[in-house]
Amino acid sequence: MPLPRSLGSPPKRLFLCSLATFFFSFAHVIMASSESFDAFEQDFHTIQASVNKTIDAITSSSSPDKRKSIVQTAEREIAEANEIITQMESEVANLPTTSRVRLQARLRLLKSEAEKMKRDLRRASLAPQVNQDRRDLLLDMDADLDTATVDQRQRLLNGTERLGESSRRLEGSHRLALETESLGVNILGTLKGQRETLLRSRDTLGEADAHIDRSSRTLKVMARRMATNKFILGLIILLLVAMIVLVVWSKLFW
């Protein structure tokens, strides 16, 4: 596409073309990295859904061998999710500061999800043994415990369940805090972009003001030159008139 004449000399047009090519390439790199990050994030969520189904299968399985195989499958999937997070960290490290800060908040959220999957898997893999030990303990103690002790044991179990519910609520609050942090980072990135736009506008106005000052000085110089030219022209006219008068007077009286 030909450039407009207002761009100036060929060196200036060449510089502007190179600058535009640089910015287009830079924007393309940012978009490609962001798309790659989104693809990794989608793969992570797919693995997360698979891990959650696997954990549910652990709790519903009654065979120890089958439960062990399911746990190993979940561990492999979690390891794959951690590899995806490592690749995402490499992608984020190559981005500029504004995009990097925004994606780092999302990356921290994914890391928190990965840690939660590990905790859920550990809890699910230990739950059958814990439940079996609890049942064995209750059966051994039933012969010697009276009704008051059984009630106390039930209250203890209820307290344990409430503690587990509180832990789940804390995890939900932690997730909400991470999402709020991500939103705050996005807002800060937007404000930074607006600040940069205002600074560029201020610089443009400063340059325009400087051009106006130079134009004003040029007009003043031209006005002084016009006044000087008028003064010189007036002197020339006076000299011509004086010479004409002198010639006429010489012809009349000499």
Side-chain angles (χ1 to χ4, degrees), residues 22-178:
F22 170 76
F23 280 116
F24 288 151
S25 300
F26 186 71
H28 179 71
V29 170
I30 293 176
M31 291 177 62
S33 299
S34 179
E35 291 175 356
S36 179
F37 186 94
D38 293 338
F40 283 133
E41 187 177 13
Q42 185 176 1
D43 293 340
F44 177 90
H45 287 305
T46 301
I47 294 175
Q48 183 183 20
S50 177
V51 170
N52 291 334
K53 291 181 180 178
T54 304
I55 292 174
D56 293 337
I58 293 173
T59 57
S60 60
S61 176
S62 59
S63 173
D65 294 335
K66 183 177 180 181
R67 191 162 50 244
K68 182 178 179 180
S69 177
I70 296 173
V71 169
Q72 292 176 351
T73 301
E75 288 175 348
R76 287 194 298 269
E77 291 176 337
I78 292 176
E80 185 178 356
N82 290 328
E83 290 178 0
I84 291 176
I85 290 177
T86 301
Q87 294 175 353
M88 294 171 75
E89 289 176 342
S90 300
E91 291 290 336
V92 171
N94 297 326
L95 292 176
T97 303
T98 304
S99 300
R100 188 190 311 154
V101 171
R102 177 173 55 83
L103 294 180
Q104 280 177 344
R106 293 167 59 185
L107 187 58
R108 285 194 293 271
L109 182 60
L110 295 180
K111 288 181 179 179
S112 176
E113 293 292 341
E115 291 297 326
K116 182 178 181 298
M117 285 191 292
K118 291 181 182 179
R119 292 194 300 271
D120 292 341
L121 176 60
R122 190 180 303 112
R123 188 182 299 114
S125 61
L126 295 177
Q129 184 63 36
V130 172
N131 292 334
Q132 183 63 38
D133 293 340
R134 182 183 296 173
R135 284 192 294 269
D136 294 341
L137 179 62
L138 293 176
L139 290 174
D140 293 338
M141 296 176 63
D142 278 343
D144 300 328
L145 294 178
D146 55 10
T147 305
T149 305
V150 173
D151 292 339
Q152 183 179 4
R153 183 182 58 195
Q154 185 62 40
R155 287 195 297 269
L156 180 61
L157 292 176
N158 292 337
T160 303
E161 292 178 356
R162 287 195 295 269
L163 182 60
E165 181 66 23
S166 299
S167 299
R168 289 190 291 272
R169 290 179 180 176
L170 286 175
E171 290 177 357
S173 300
H174 180 63
R175 179 183 177 87
L176 180 61
L178 290 176

